[in-house]
Amino acid sequence: MYKSWWKIASILLLIYTVVGGFLMKVPALPALQETIRNLYFHVCMWFAMMILFTVSVVNSIKYLRTFNLKYDIYARHYAAVGIVMGALGYATGAIWMTYTWADPNNPAFQSFSALAREPKLIGAAIALLIYFAYMVLRDSISDMDKRARISSVYNIFAYAMLFPSIWILPRVMDSLHPGREGNPALNTSDIDSSMRIVFYPAVIGWTLLGVWITTLKIRLHLLKEKQLLS
Amino acid sequence: MQRSRICIFAVKQIFISSASHIFTLFKKDLLLEVRQQYSFYGILLYIGATIFVLYMAIDEPEAKVWNGLFWVIQLFICINAVAKSFLQESKGRMLYFYSIASPGDFVLAKLLFNTVLMLAMSLLSLFLFSLFLGNPMQKIWQFTGLVLLGGWSLSLVFTFLAAIAAKAQQNAAIMAVLGFPIIIPQLLLLMRLSNAAFAPLLTIPVSTVLLLVALDAMVILLAVILFPYLWKD
């Protein structure tokens, strides 16, 4: 049981998220109605993605400070699971969008270009493209130390450029997306307090799940590389 | 009192010697460019040919299209102009620079040289664009300033990415993959600002210009901090 309390916490929080998220009362707003329950899944995916990317960058910095290859493997897997979370964020967002933004008289394919011009979507696309590029860059170098060093440098550089842009974009573009004033999802007036008691635990639960998946991937990778690292 | 004066003197000496290193490395790049003129003319030809193809494809586009095309062409010019800055250095020569200059000075010299190169290319492509594709600019001087600022921003980001690509022993294609997502926000800001330069009634927001300058300063800082890790083998 040692050190596994957070895995148990993750499962309990996610059970609470699913049960509470589907059964508890939510404010009925025009256009949103019951779709607001998607907030407990959709927004949490983006939170988890950003947190995992941040952990990845911290590991890259640690790698450059110590040149211990372990941290490079950490950084790679945190970025990979962050990408998965981002893809899930897009998927949940697409489902939500179908019920709220999309024009029912217009086929989805035709309204796509109008809907995709959305600062939050663009910001997320930039983040995912950066990490895809990070993976491509990593795989293009065969030497292990060189790969670790160059990809760490790119990871830090790209992350440092990504964050200002995520703050800038929503402020210079028009948006249908909620929470465009101020920083997304951190604004306390954006959601009702009855939803916050599910939302914050949900964020923690999904993030812990992401970390859990990553630790499993890291353990597998470390076992594979055992001869090389020791 | 004495000690602090010595301290200030030492800092000043370091600053002066580093500035002279940067200047020497910058002069070396300039000299190389003058001696091996084929690459310089190659970029000039690239600009001319691209804009000529655009001229064949469309005549007199409206301001919005003009603006979009202009910045996309700037992006490609920048990749072509900047890509060779690190790729041209052979392994042996890099080792030589490693032994005589500090990484910070080296990258600053490269940034400075590529900035100058890109500023010249930006002005040239602006001239050719307005010659071939018409001139929708309402505020010519402001727009020229924006073009210079944009050329500077592009050259800084892509110089650093060229260093990464050169270390990964890759061609310019990977620079595009690495750089496009990073440069999107800056390009978006530049296009917004240029739209204001095309409309007679809109004023150019100073805060956005300052934001771009701040991003450029951040890129320089990151390059100086991160380049030493790229350099050593």
Side-chain angles (χ1 to χ4, degrees):
Chain A
M1 292 305 280
Y2 168 70
K3 270 188 180 175
S4 60
W5 60 270
W6 59 274
K7 294 175 185 169
I8 298 166
S10 162
I11 292 174
L12 289 179
L13 284 172
L14 286 178
I15 291 172
Y16 170 67
T17 305
V18 173
V19 175
F22 281 119
L23 297 180
M24 277 161 82
K25 239 179 116 59
V26 289
L29 292 174
L32 281 175
Q33 300 295 352
E34 296 289 321
T35 64
I36 191 72
R37 294 182 191 280
N38 199 357
L39 179 98
Y40 305 132
F41 305 93
H42 170 68
V43 182
C44 301
M45 292 301 149
W46 297 119
F47 260 91
M49 180 190 85
M50 287 329 297
I51 292 169
L52 290 174
F53 283 165
T54 310
V55 175
S56 166
V57 170
V58 169
N59 276 303
S60 280
I61 295 171
K62 267 184 170 168
Y63 173 75
L64 288 183
R65 291 180 70 89
T66 59
F67 291 111
N68 185 344
L69 277 173
K70 187 176 80 178
Y71 292 120
D72 178 57
I73 292 169
Y74 286 7
R76 188 213 173 273
H77 287 292
Y78 276 108
V81 178
I83 289 175
V84 173
M85 286 291 178
L88 289 174
Y90 264 128
T92 47
I95 295 169
W96 201 350
M97 189 175 80
T98 328
Y99 294 100
T100 49
W101 291 353
D103 180 359
N105 301 319
N106 205 354
F109 190 75
Q110 276 168 31
S111 50
F112 178 76
S113 72
L115 292 177
R117 195 181 289 281
E118 179 65 46
K120 296 280 186 326
L121 283 178
I122 295 171
I126 293 173
L128 286 180
L129 281 175
I130 283 176
Y131 281 90
F132 284 137
Y134 169 74
M135 293 295 166
V136 169
L137 180 70
R138 278 187 71 85
D139 291 342
S140 72
I141 308 165
S142 49
D143 182 67
M144 257 175 84
D145 290 294
K146 207 170 172 183
R147 173 170 63 199
R149 217 173 47 237
I150 295 172
S151 57
S152 294
V153 167
Y154 180 70
N155 195 356
I156 296 166
F157 183 72
Y159 184 87
M161 298 295 289
L162 169 68
F163 256 68
S165 49
I166 285 180
W167 291 319
I168 291 165
L169 280 172
R171 289 180 169 80
V172 297
M173 293 181 74
D174 303 322
S175 170
L176 276 173
H177 200 287
R180 76 171 162 276
E181 297 89 13
N183 292 324
L186 295 174
N187 209 340
T188 44
S189 60
D190 271 356
I191 58 171
D192 193 73
S193 56
S194 67
M195 296 188 65
R196 230 169 286 153
I197 55 170
V198 182
F199 176 61
Y200 292 144
V203 169
I204 299 170
W206 287 114
T207 309
L208 286 179
L209 185 70
V211 175
W212 190 359
I213 296 170
T214 319
T215 51
L216 292 179
K217 281 169 71 86
I218 290 170
R219 271 166 66 190
L220 195 65
H221 196 134
L222 286 178
L223 281 177
K224 273 187 200 158
E225 308 263 312
K226 205 166 187 183
Q227 312 92 304
L228 285 170
L229 287 175
S230 58
Chain B
M1 189 63 199
Q2 191 68 29
R3 180 179 274 179
S4 74
R5 204 173 284 163
I6 290 170
C7 227
I8 290 168
F9 180 73
V11 168
K12 216 188 257 174
Q13 280 300 309
I14 290 167
F15 188 73
I16 289 169
S17 81
S18 139
S20 81
H21 276 157
I22 294 170
F23 186 68
T24 314
L25 286 165
F26 172 75
K27 250 187 2 200
K28 176 228 81 174
D29 273 337
L30 202 65
L31 205 66
L32 266 181
E33 202 68 62
V34 173
R35 294 240 175 99
Q36 308 177 329
Q37 288 178 341
Y38 71 93
S39 68
F40 183 72
Y41 288 130
I43 305 165
L44 289 188
L45 200 60
Y46 184 86
I47 298 176
T50 327
I51 295 172
F52 190 70
V53 167
L54 274 182
Y55 171 61
M56 295 284 98
I58 39 171
D59 40 21
E60 294 274 331
E62 53 179 306
K64 249 191 159 153
V65 180
W66 197 99
N67 187 17
L69 283 174
F70 180 76
W71 288 109
V72 172
I73 296 294
Q74 286 295 93
L75 189 63
F76 282 97
I77 291 171
C78 185
I79 288 179
N80 278 286
V82 165
K84 62 164 185 37
S85 64
F86 284 90
L87 295 171
Q88 73 180 5
E89 312 282 11
S90 67
K91 209 163 185 178
R93 220 195 288 167
M94 279 302 253
L95 200 64
Y96 173 62
F97 290 134
Y98 186 74
S99 63
I100 57 165
S102 84
D105 293 348
F106 186 77
V107 78
L108 281 174
K110 285 281 184 201
L111 288 173
L112 185 65
F113 176 74
N114 283 331
T115 302
V116 172
L117 185 70
M118 192 57 204
L119 290 186
M121 296 300 161
S122 300
L123 285 179
L124 179 72
S125 74
L126 176 63
F127 172 71
L128 286 178
F129 246 82
S130 41
L131 192 68
F132 278 111
L133 297 169
N135 181 1
M137 288 170 272
Q138 299 283 339
K139 303 163 187 148
I140 292 181
W141 294 114
Q142 275 103 321
F143 187 69
T144 311
L146 277 181
V147 169
L148 293 180
L149 179 65
W152 188 43
S153 307
L154 288 172
S155 71
L156 292 180
V157 170
F158 280 101
T159 305
F160 190 68
L161 292 172
I164 292 180
K167 269 289 154 191
Q169 278 152 1
Q170 294 290 323
N171 50 9
I174 200 146
M175 266 176 70
V177 175
L178 298 177
F180 281 3
I182 295 180
I183 204 75
I184 290 171
Q186 268 156 302
L187 270 185
L188 215 69
L189 288 178
L190 282 167
M191 286 182 193
R192 304 230 128 205
L193 286 173
S194 341
N195 270 337
F198 290 147
L201 293 176
L202 293 173
T203 51
I204 292 176
V206 181
S207 60
T208 315
V209 176
L210 289 179
L211 191 69
L212 276 168
V213 175
L215 277 173
D216 290 346
M218 198 181 78
V219 174
I220 296 175
L221 196 69
L222 281 170
V224 172
I225 294 170
L226 291 174
F227 187 70
Y229 294 105
L230 277 182
W231 212 15
K232 51 187 157 192
D233 258 329

